Amino acid sequence: MDGEITLGDVVLAARAGYVRSKVDFRQRGRDGQTRWDIDAFTPAYRTAPTVLGTVDMMGRDFLGVTDTTESAWFSGGNLRWNDRLRVFAGVRRDDYSNIDDYTENVSRNTPTTRSTVKNSALSWRSGLSFDLTPSLILFFGASRSEIPQSGIIRSTGTVIPALEATSFEGGIRAVDLGNWLNGSFSMFEITQDNQGVNDPDNRAGESFVINVGKVRVRGAEFDITVRPGAGLSILAGGAYLDSRILTLDATGGPGAQFNNRFYNTPEFQGFVRLDWDAAALGAEGLRFNLGLIRQGSRYGNNANNFVLPAFTRVDTGAAYRWQNLEMRVFVENIFDEVYYLGSQNRPQNIAPGAPRRVTGAISMRW
């Protein structure tokens, strides 16, 4: 439901609504596995890890039923004055419920294990923007959000509370400056409470979480798009991130990980991409692109005792459209760079990046 009122140079618009989703999922099957305990502190790319020992897990008959319900009420509005000043605000309430029934060894009629997760969250946001000129815009925003989380804390057996986040951001944006430049620069601060991550002590088949507590990220970011002509576009962007864990202990003093960097968060990351439409030189339908991604080193866990190295990856691609037929080819990681995407807060779970990969596609539209 929405509406709009105009009073001279002032335009007031508002919207409100309700959304709800429900998912019922049922599965039955049998599995079995072998778990390898490996030395993952010094991973060697494309080399089998050093196996410290193995544990064989028994095969299981199992029956799983999941019932998930999500609903939200929301409302918001914005005010525009003289087409230069815009102010907006909004509020939202989310309710989340997840019930899991899981039975192992169905043929033996083992009692059902039930896990119930219920969470509610209230969020708001507000901000404003002001047009200095038709092409230069100042903006500022603030928000407070609560996001329901699922997961059980091992030590207490309770559901992890909703993730609470407060953010502030301000900056300047250029829109079609000189008909060839778009871009923005902003500074921000995000603080999160009840930050949940995988429990590093999880064994095979376990999915407990831990509450890291308070995490703060301060930084600056930019993006820019330049169109110098002849069908060429140059896109670039980057961010500086200062992430810190600010959790206190039971006495109010610094916690064990106080001032550590939050895992998987580099100090710098950026990209550059070139897009060229050859139609400007008479080759209608032919396009090329070349991109570079740079990510700095980052800690692989919140204890900050192992590091995932920095990497630079180069990709390229081309596409050709003829009438209703389009052919595309993409080469990811041209130079076969060895790199790691991230970890799950422990050295036993590190995700490597893909080696050189070539993909292609042909599509037709009617």
Side-chain angles (χ1 to χ4, degrees), residues 314-365:
V314 181
D315 309 323
T316 190
Y320 179 70
R321 179 186 292 276
W322 179 73
Q323 296 182 358
N324 62 341
L325 179 68
E326 184 174 31
M327 295 170 286
R328 299 183 300 274
V329 63
F330 181 72
V331 183
E332 180 182 315
N333 197 3
I334 296 175
F335 300 109
D336 209 17
E337 174 79 7
V338 174
Y339 69 101
Y340 303 94
L341 295 171
S343 72
Q344 294 186 23
N345 195 34
R346 59 179 190 167
Q348 291 90 345
N349 294 94
I350 298 175
R356 183 188 298 114
R357 181 166 56 182
V358 181
T359 58
I362 299 176
S363 61
M364 181 174 290
R365 297 184 179 184

Side-chain angles (χ1 to χ4, degrees), residues 49-335:
T50 301
V51 178
L52 303 178
T54 61
V55 179
D56 290 323
M57 310 292 288
M58 293 179 61
R60 302 173 297 172
D61 292 307
F62 64 88
L63 170 65
V65 179
T66 300
D67 181 359
T68 303
T69 304
E70 297 180 78
S71 61
W73 292 93
F74 65 89
S75 64
N78 65 77
L79 180 149
R80 302 193 304 274
W81 176 71
N82 200 27
D83 288 332
R84 296 187 66 185
L85 176 66
R86 290 169 292 275
V87 181
F88 66 88
V91 64
R92 176 183 175 113
R93 177 186 170 87
D94 290 271
D95 293 290
Y96 174 85
S97 172
N98 186 83
I99 300 174
D100 283 318
D101 287 334
Y102 185 80
T103 302
E104 289 189 4
N105 298 321
V106 177
S107 60
R108 301 180 190 176
N109 197 29
T110 304
T112 296
T113 299
R114 167 165 284 215
S115 169
T116 302
V117 176
K118 291 186 177 180
N119 238 321
S120 297
L122 183 68
S123 305
W124 60 262
R125 65 187 182 96
S126 63
L128 61 87
S129 65
F130 180 75
D131 296 356
L132 296 174
T133 71
S135 296
L136 289 177
I137 304 169
L138 289 176
F139 62 90
F140 175 81
S143 68
R144 168 74 173 175
S145 63
E146 295 186 23
I147 304 172
Q149 301 185 99
S150 61
I152 305 298
I153 299 174
R154 185 197 305 271
S155 59
T156 62
T158 57
V159 177
I160 187 169
L163 174 66
E164 301 175 4
T166 304
S167 67
F168 302 93
E169 182 180 19
I172 188 169
R173 180 182 299 114
V175 180
D176 289 331
L177 189 62
N179 294 321
W180 60 274
L181 174 66
N182 288 274
S184 67
F185 173 82
S186 64
M187 302 181 71
F188 59 88
E189 177 178 294
I190 303 171
T191 303
Q192 297 181 332
D193 285 309
N194 300 325
Q195 176 67 63
V197 300
N198 286 332
D199 189 333
D201 294 328
N202 279 342
R203 298 186 295 264
E206 293 183 333
S207 56
F208 291 105
V209 298
I210 59 173
N211 189 340
V212 174
K214 179 178 289 188
V215 176
R216 185 194 65 207
V217 181
R218 290 174 173 169
E221 60 184 355
F222 77 94
D223 67 84
I224 186 171
T225 301
V226 180
R227 298 184 298 273
L232 181 64
S233 295
I234 304 172
L235 300 84
Y240 166 77
L241 305 170
D242 179 23
S243 64
R244 300 290 175 179
I245 297 173
L246 302 180
T247 305
L248 303 179
D249 61 19
T251 66
Q257 297 178 348
F258 186 84
N259 212 38
N260 281 10
R261 292 189 176 276
F262 192 62
Y263 79 113
N264 284 342
T265 308
E267 280 193 278
F268 175 80
Q269 58 188 13
F271 75 94
V272 177
R273 173 172 167 161
L274 307 179
D275 290 328
W276 182 51
D277 189 340
L281 299 182
E284 190 71 31
L286 184 61
R287 305 188 308 276
F288 297 94
N289 62 68
L290 178 67
L292 180 148
I293 299 172
R294 174 68 180 179
Q295 188 165 76
S297 61
R298 61 269 188 225
Y299 286 107
N301 63 357
N302 288 331
N304 288 184
N305 57 22
F306 77 97
V307 175
L308 301 177
F311 69 87
T312 301
R313 197 188 79 199
V314 181
D315 309 323
T316 190
Y320 179 70
R321 179 186 292 276
W322 179 73
Q323 296 182 358
N324 62 341
L325 179 68
E326 184 174 31
M327 295 170 286
R328 299 183 300 274
V329 63
F330 181 72
V331 183
E332 180 182 315
N333 197 3
I334 296 175
F335 300 109

